[in-house]
Amino acid sequence: MPAVTVENPLTLPRLPEAQAGTPGRKVLAVETAPSGFEGEGFPVRRALAAIKPEYLDPFVMMDQMGEVDYAAGEPKGTPWHPHRGFETVTYMIDGVMEHLDSNGGGGTITNGDTQWMTAGAGILHKEAPPEWLVQQGGLFHGIQLWVNLPGAKKMIAPQYQDIGGSSVVLLSSHDGGALVRLIAGDLAGHVGPGSTQTPITLLHATVSPGARLVMPWRQDFNALAYALSGRGTVGTERRPLSGGQLAVFEGFGNRPGLATQAGSITITAAAKEPLEVIVLGGEPIGEPVAHYGPFVMNTKAELVQAFEDFQAGRLGSIPAQHA
């Protein structure tokens, strides 16, 4: 880990150096993600599960899938299942995953690729390792993120984006100590390839041992940092952070009265090992959330309607060749 890298980050566009007096966002909390299982039984860490929903908006869920090295016959995925009302983002750090959906989208993602599925009004999809990987086993590691849609967009037509690892925007910290892979959104004027229905920024950073990454962050976005592996600190107050933990930064997305707390976010790696971290933030939607199973709506009545529509076959059908 990770697959997408460069030998010399200083050859890349650089993020601006933090200016003296620029406020750094404080850290509200650091929480350890609980472990569980998903789909047919692959291990996950529920990165956002210990955080109050009001600090997460517009994000609903994020799972770290693996990191696990499967033996032959062990790789697992998810069977066909429905979604409505949000977007799923699957980022494969190591390994291979195949996606199929009832809208004709899909493909194979591996080693730094991302698939971005807008479920919208409703879709059926399936994610699973290819048959050859099931037979021989192998490394499996990635994340899946659920991004909420505002009420006005919950019933838009489904869409699918295939974002190859070679298309992510690669950036360096000002001194070359950190490599940033920008998947979606804007960071210091650089724009990632992912097209988002809800304004967000999503990136994967590798902070070299002892290095510090300081990133300017949009005033109207909240900010979250999840450590995939390694150890380090977050914030100018240097709160400890290690693999499997999520840091919540203070900001506009947490309390409306703190719009001036935009500034920057700071992540520092420990002296002897790199820190691999997913950083994300978005513009809070600020609407009621009714979430149950594979549906994320605004009201209980809309959830009931989603289940009825699924049972009636109105969320799509499995393609005949895959039924």
Side-chain angles (χ1 to χ4, degrees):
M1 181 179 78
V4 178
T5 188
V6 295
E7 289 188 7
N8 183 8
L10 288 174
T11 62
L12 303 172
R14 302 190 201 182
L15 296 172
E17 186 174 4
Q19 299 299 311
T22 301
R25 290 200 185 191
K26 296 181 179 179
V27 177
L28 287 177
V30 175
E31 300 288 350
T32 299
S35 299
F37 294 91
E38 188 56 75
E40 297 170 335
F42 58 84
V44 298
R45 298 200 73 162
R46 310 287 190 187
L48 309 184
I51 308 300
K52 294 179 180 179
E54 56 263 36
Y55 296 136
L56 302 178
D57 187 12
F59 306 109
V60 179
M61 182 202 80
M62 186 170 77
D63 284 347
Q64 180 183 7
M65 306 179 295
E67 184 176 8
V68 59
D69 194 357
Y70 282 120
E74 289 184 344
K76 300 175 177 65
T78 61
W80 286 95
H81 59 283
H83 287 306
R84 172 181 280 181
F86 65 102
E87 299 183 286
T88 69
V89 182
T90 305
Y91 170 52
M92 287 301 297
I93 300 168
D94 289 299
V96 185
M97 180 75 80
E98 291 182 340
H99 169 94
L100 297 168
D101 68 49
S102 56
N103 196 47
T108 300
I109 57 172
T110 182
N111 296 345
D113 298 338
T114 301
Q115 59 181 18
W116 200 295
M117 186 184 78
T118 304
I123 199 168
L124 305 181
H125 84 142
K126 173 185 179 180
E127 295 167 300
E131 184 58 33
W132 63 263
L133 182 61
V134 174
Q135 293 177 2
Q136 72 179 42
L139 192 61
F140 178 77
H141 189 205
I143 66 161
Q144 183 168 98
L145 172 69
W146 289 14
V147 185
N148 198 10
L149 290 171
K153 291 186 175 182
K154 284 192 178 296
M155 298 300 286
I156 62 175
Q159 300 176 40
Y160 179 82
Q161 301 174 62
D162 185 2
I163 304 170
S166 61
S167 69
V168 301
V169 174
L170 299 179
L171 305 169
S172 168
S173 57
H174 77 279
D175 61 358
L179 172 64
V180 173
R181 305 160 192 82
L182 182 59
I183 298 170
D186 179 282
L187 184 65
H190 304 277
V191 180
S195 177
T196 71
Q197 296 292 333
T198 302
I200 72 166
T201 293
L202 173 64
L203 62 91
H204 172 196
T206 300
V207 188
S208 300
R212 183 179 67 164
L213 172 62
V214 181
M215 295 180 290
W217 208 250
R218 276 184 54 167
Q219 176 176 301
D220 54 342
F221 277 20
N222 58 6
L224 310 166
Y226 177 73
L228 296 164
S229 66
R231 293 185 304 110
T233 64
V234 284
T236 54
E237 64 269 50
R238 301 180 70 88
R239 291 279 296 273
L241 181 77
S242 59
Q245 292 187 317
L246 178 89
V248 182
F249 291 87
E250 192 172 47
F252 181 84
N254 308 131
R255 285 195 237 155
L258 292 176
T260 58
Q261 296 288 324
S264 60
I265 60 176
T266 301
I267 301 169
T268 306
K272 295 184 178 180
E273 58 184 320
L275 179 61
E276 299 287 348
V277 61
I278 297 290
V279 183
L280 63 160
E283 182 180 6
I285 296 171
E287 296 177 351
V289 176
H291 171 206
Y292 189 83
F295 306 125
V296 183
M297 307 303 292
N298 291 122
T299 67
K300 182 177 178 180
E302 290 173 342
L303 280 180
V304 171
Q305 186 63 57
F307 276 101
E308 291 178 352
D309 287 346
F310 168 56
Q311 292 168 347
R314 290 190 284 268
L315 268 62
S317 57
I318 300 173
Q321 66 270 34
H322 302 291

